Amino acid sequence: MALAETENMQGAKTEKPQGYWSGVGARVARDPVSMICFAVVLLLILSAIFAPYLGLADPYKGSMIARLKPLGTEGHFLGTDEQGRDMLARLIYGGRLTLFIGLMPVVLAFFIGSALGIVAGYVGGMTNTIIMRIVDVFFAFPSVLLAIAISGALGAGIVNSLVSLTIVFIPPITRVAEAVTSGVRALDYIDAARATGASAWTVIRVHVIGNVLSPIFVYATSLTSVCMILAAGLSFLGIGVRPPEPEWGLMLNTLRSAIYINPWLSALPGVMIFITSLCLNLLSDGLRSAMNVRD
C-alpha cells in the first residue's frame, strides 16, 4: 500500500501543469455549442478556400433561359439567380469575399487599436489625451452611418470596404485596450519593473502586452459578426463589392426583385449571413467564458 502511494505521488510530481491556453482550449472543447459553431465556421472557411476544387459550376456564367430556377432543379441543387447563374456555386464562392471582408478589418483593427490603446494607457498624460480624444470623435457617429459615409466617400470596391470597416472598428478596440492597460499600469509588478531601470518599451513588451491581450482579443472576436453584417450591408447598398462578384450582401440586393417570384431563392444569401453571424457570436461567447478563469 505504501508502495502504491509512493508511485501515485511520483506520478503526480511528473505530471506537467496545464498552461493557460491549454486550459482555454479544454474548456471550449467541453462546450457543445461552441464546438458546433466552430465546426460550422470551419466548414464555411474550408469550402470557401477549396471552392475551385469542389467541382462547382462557374459562378459567373449565366443563362437567361435558366434564370430563377427553383430549389432542387436538376444540375442546380439550390436553383439559379436572376441571371441564370448557379446559386450553390455563388454562395460558396461568395463566402470567400464575405468572410474575408468580415474578418480582415477586425484583424487589422485589433493590431492598430491594441497598439494605440496600450501606448495611451501606459504613457498617459498628453499622449493619452490626444489619442483618446481622437477616438471620441469617431464615437460621435453610429458605426453603421460611419461605415456608409466613409465607403461613400472612398467609392465602391473591396479595398475601400476594408479601409472603411477597419476605421470603424479601431476606436472601440482602442478604448478597451486603453482601459485594460490603465488598470495594469498601476499594479506592483509594473512599478518593480520600472524600479529596475527597464525602459518603457521593455515594460510594455515583457509585462504589459501579455496581460492585456487576452481581454482585447476576446472583445475583438465579438466584433467579427458585426463586421460581417456591416460588410454585407455595404454591398447591399451598392457601396461595397461591385457586380458581378459573388458576395452575400450583393446577392441579396440583386435577388430582391425576385422575392415575389421565388422567395426561398431570394432568402438563401440572408440565411447564410444569419447562420455565419450567429455561429461567430456563439463561438465568441464560448471563448469569453472559457477565458474567464475566475468563473
Side-chain angles (χ1 to χ4, degrees):
M1 184 174 179
L3 181 60
E5 291 180 355
T6 304
E7 291 178 353
N8 292 335
M9 293 177 62
Q10 290 177 351
K13 290 180 180 179
T14 57
E15 184 180 350
K16 294 183 180 180
Q18 190 179 44
Y20 172 72
W21 289 107
S22 299
V24 171
R27 286 189 288 272
V28 171
R30 289 194 297 266
D31 184 2
V33 176
S34 297
M35 293 308 298
I36 292 174
C37 294
F38 174 75
V40 173
V41 174
L42 182 62
L43 178 62
L44 290 171
I45 293 175
L46 291 177
S47 63
I49 293 174
F50 297 104
Y53 307 101
L54 298 179
L56 301 171
D58 188 347
Y60 300 98
K61 184 178 180 180
S63 172
M64 297 309 295
I65 300 175
R67 62 190 302 269
L68 295 177
K69 292 293 184 181
L71 278 67
T73 302
E74 184 179 356
H76 302 286
F77 179 70
L78 294 181
T80 57
D81 65 0
E82 77 287 350
Q83 295 187 24
R85 297 170 295 193
D86 186 71
M87 278 295 294
L88 178 60
R90 287 187 66 79
L91 286 173
I92 293 179
Y93 275 91
R96 283 181 157 188
L97 283 175
T98 304
L99 291 173
F100 177 75
I101 301 177
L103 298 178
M104 188 54 63
V106 177
V107 174
L108 296 175
F110 171 75
F111 287 105
I112 299 173
S114 297
L116 292 175
I118 290 173
V119 170
Y122 181 80
V123 177
M126 185 59 66
T127 302
N128 182 293
T129 301
I130 294 173
I131 294 176
M132 299 313 296
R133 295 299 76 78
I134 294 175
V135 167
D136 289 341
V137 171
F138 288 95
F139 271 106
F141 306 94
S143 57
V144 177
L145 295 180
L146 183 60
I148 292 174
I150 297 175
S151 294
L154 296 177
I158 298 175
V159 176
N160 292 340
S161 297
L162 290 175
V163 172
S164 63
L165 291 174
T166 301
I167 294 174
V168 167
F169 289 107
I170 286 177
I173 294 178
T174 302
R175 174 169 287 184
V176 171
E178 189 271 339
V180 175
T181 306
S182 296
V184 171
R185 183 185 60 178
L187 298 179
D188 293 337
Y189 66 88
I190 299 296
D191 293 334
R194 289 174 181 159
T196 62
S199 63
W201 166 242
T202 302
V203 175
I204 292 175
R205 179 173 54 86
V206 177
H207 300 285
V208 176
I209 291 180
N211 291 282
V212 302
L213 279 186
S214 293
I216 302 172
F217 175 75
V218 171
Y219 177 74
T221 57
S222 67
L223 299 176
T224 53
S225 60
V226 180
C227 185
M228 194 192 70
I229 293 174
L230 282 180
L234 293 178
S235 298
F236 180 83
L237 295 174
I239 52 178
V241 178
R242 294 190 181 98
E245 295 294 336
E247 199 274 339
W248 294 343
L250 182 61
M251 292 169 66
L252 271 178
N253 185 14
T254 56
L255 284 169
R256 61 179 177 172
S257 58
I259 192 170
Y260 297 107
I261 302 172
N262 197 335
W264 294 107
L265 184 69
S266 304
L268 285 177
V271 171
M272 294 298 296
I273 294 173
F274 172 76
I275 292 175
T276 308
S277 61
L278 179 64
C279 289
L280 288 173
N281 257 332
L282 294 176
L283 185 59
S284 173
D285 290 341
L287 182 62
R288 183 185 299 110
S289 300
M291 296 181 73
N292 191 2
V293 294
R294 294 182 181 179
D295 293 341

